[in-house]
Amino acid sequence: FDFDDTLTRTRLDDDYGIRYMGPNLKTIARLKEHFKAGDVIHVVTSRREYQEDSLPELDEFGRVLTHSVHDFLHEHGLYNYVENIVFTDGHLKSGVLKHLGTDVHYDDDTEELNALHPDTKGFLIDYETGEAVER
């Protein structure tokens, strides 16, 4: 599973750029279904790992603008569902997913999905509705 706009929901904000809006409950339900079916779950994000130490980023009212991956997983009771978290530091995820032997990947980014190895089934996530469409 991708993280930003796949497990989370965000929106553009005139003052802050991007604002965290909460969990994507439909995608989280899919993650839990995969776990219950015995699948190994990886969160693979193009975020830069070194930036995680400076998160969460808060606005002047103390509201979260950007969650850290670890904090989000803990906050939503998902940490025990996830085998590991991989940061690709801005690179496409396809190589990491192939190395992990990933059969299915959920992402909101069509570029990431188009780059998947042919053996990996991709699902495009609509970050607003949480709907997943096979690519």
Side-chain angles (χ1 to χ4, degrees), residues 41-96:
I41 309 297
H42 303 279
V43 172
V44 180
T45 176
S46 57
R47 285 185 176 199
R48 289 165 167 52
E49 186 170 12
Y50 74 88
Q51 293 176 324
E52 287 290 295
D53 292 339
S54 64
L55 298 174
E57 179 184 359
L58 306 175
D59 67 12
E60 70 269 15
F61 303 106
R63 296 177 297 205
V64 173
L65 293 171
T66 307
H67 253 295
S68 79
V69 177
H70 293 279
D71 288 347
F72 177 88
L73 294 175
H74 278 296
E75 182 179 316
H76 295 284
L78 300 172
Y79 214 80
N80 292 331
Y81 290 85
V82 176
E83 180 76 17
N84 65 1
I85 302 164
V86 180
F87 296 86
T88 67
D89 296 328
H91 299 285
L92 286 173
K93 300 168 191 154
S94 57
V96 168

Side-chain angles (χ1 to χ4, degrees), residues 1-7 24 26-28 30-31 33-34 39 44 93 97 102-127 129-135:
F1 285 81
D2 172 46
F3 182 69
D4 292 301
D5 292 326
T6 298
L7 293 175
N24 185 331
K26 289 183 180 179
T27 306
I28 289 172
R30 281 185 196 85
L31 183 149
E33 288 170 11
H34 279 283
D39 297 335
V44 180
K93 300 168 191 154
L97 295 170
T102 303
D103 295 321
V104 178
H105 180 63
Y106 293 86
D107 209 304
D108 68 303
D109 187 335
T110 55
E111 181 182 12
E112 294 285 1
L113 294 171
N114 289 338
L116 291 177
H117 187 272
D119 293 341
T120 305
K121 186 185 304 185
F123 285 88
L124 179 64
I125 298 296
D126 182 318
Y127 72 93
T129 66
E131 297 299 323
V133 177
E134 186 174 348
R135 296 282 298 183

